Amino acid sequence: MTTDPWLQPPIAPGADRLFCFPFAGGNGTAFKTWRPALAPRTEVWAAMLPARGPRLAEPPTTSLADLVSHLTDSIAKLTDKPFAFFGHSLGSLVAFETARELRRRGLPLPEVLWASGAEGPGTRVVKRHLHGLPHDEFIEALREYNGTPSEVLEHREIMEMLYPALQADFGMAERYEYREEPPLDLPIHALYGDADPHVDYELLQGWGRETTRSFSVHGFDGDHFFLFPHEEAITALIAGRAR
């Protein structure tokens, strides 16, 4: 198995691979319970970004293009098996742009792109810019996403450690500029929470413009972080075991 710092490797070899791209401020631990859920067939590889987890001491990446380039370099070494991409929120954009970068380099594409908790790249609307807010206002705004426990948000020392990654990630998402390119030749499946105030259902449909293949939408009860309470259903969907 690779020791590449940009990817957290699976627990055991499998027949295919799922590369997971986390939400703003997240890291590979968000998908740690997916590994046994998708084993033994699928290897779960999770993107590991600077300024969090084992890379906490490193400065954050502030350029989405640079982030995509690094991740593409790493994934390019692992395209010897069939693979798919899963991204949540910011991770959906990263997954999408990484698939595009693989295509530019003439490398194999993922067999499927799972885009979760995000409007279409070309239809998305940034409703509020958070990354430029003063520190305390930024932390308070995070409460609206319901992805960080209140006790963590209120723990100043912990938030001081998490703040650089969060601010950098929100900056990348909010500064993202869509570029027109041909649709990808792979199926795209969009997932959303029916009570997510940050994702408009009509704008979510924009993912359908990015594929020449099939497109589907899957809704779940919950807010922006619906993927946690519905982990069993989502991993079953990815594995093709959903009923």
Side-chain angles (χ1 to χ4, degrees), residues 98-107 109 181-185:
T98 302
R100 281 179 153 192
E101 181 62 17
L102 286 170
R103 181 174 63 182
R104 293 185 200 106
R105 298 188 191 187
L107 296 169
L109 294 182
E181 291 186 19
L184 293 164
D185 188 26

Side-chain angles (χ1 to χ4, degrees), residues 129-164:
H129 288 80
L130 303 186
H131 76 279
L133 291 175
H135 179 279
D136 290 349
E137 290 183 36
F138 177 81
I139 300 305
E140 190 61 30
L142 290 179
R143 294 183 189 276
E144 300 176 11
Y145 286 83
N146 203 28
T148 306
S150 294
E151 57 269 26
V152 174
L153 289 170
E154 293 162 8
H155 196 297
R156 194 163 189 88
E157 290 182 0
I158 293 177
M159 289 311 302
E160 287 295 334
M161 291 190 295
L162 300 178
Y163 178 71

Side-chain angles (χ1 to χ4, degrees), residues 16 18 33-44 114 218 230-243:
D16 55 36
L18 177 69
T33 53
W34 289 31
R35 290 179 165 85
L38 292 171
R41 178 174 179 80
T42 300
E43 302 173 4
V44 176
W114 299 90
H218 304 268
H230 294 289
E231 175 186 309
E232 183 176 354
I234 292 171
T235 53
L237 185 65
I238 291 170
R241 298 193 299 262
R243 295 181 179 179

Side-chain angles (χ1 to χ4, degrees), residues 25 32 63 86-87 92 111 117 128 130 144 153 157 180 199 234 241:
K32 65 181 180 180
S63 164
F86 180 96
S92 293
E111 295 198 336
R128 185 182 179 193
L130 303 186
E144 300 176 11
L153 289 170
E157 290 182 0
E180 291 286 349
V199 175
I234 292 171
R241 298 193 299 262

Side-chain angles (χ1 to χ4, degrees), residues 103 109 182-188 207-215:
R103 181 174 63 182
L109 294 182
L184 293 164
D185 188 26
L186 52 84
I188 294 180
W207 284 105
R209 296 168 32 180
E210 306 302 335
T211 175
T212 61
R213 307 278 289 280
S214 61
F215 170 64

Side-chain angles (χ1 to χ4, degrees), residues 17-23 30-31 34 38 42 44-47 75 83-96 98-99 110-118 189-192 207 218 220 224 226-228 230-231 233-235 237-239:
R17 294 179 170 131
L18 177 69
F19 294 98
C20 296
F21 303 85
F23 44 87
F31 302 100
W34 289 31
L38 292 171
T42 300
V44 176
W45 295 76
I75 292 169
F83 64 97
F85 283 176
F86 180 96
H88 183 75
S89 197
L90 168 65
S92 293
L93 290 178
V94 176
F96 171 68
T98 302
E111 295 198 336
V112 181
L113 170 60
W114 299 90
S116 173
H189 306 301
L191 286 63
Y192 73 99
W207 284 105
H218 304 268
F220 297 86
H224 194 61
F226 65 88
L227 77 165
F228 292 126
H230 294 289
E231 175 186 309
I234 292 171
T235 53
L237 185 65
I238 291 170

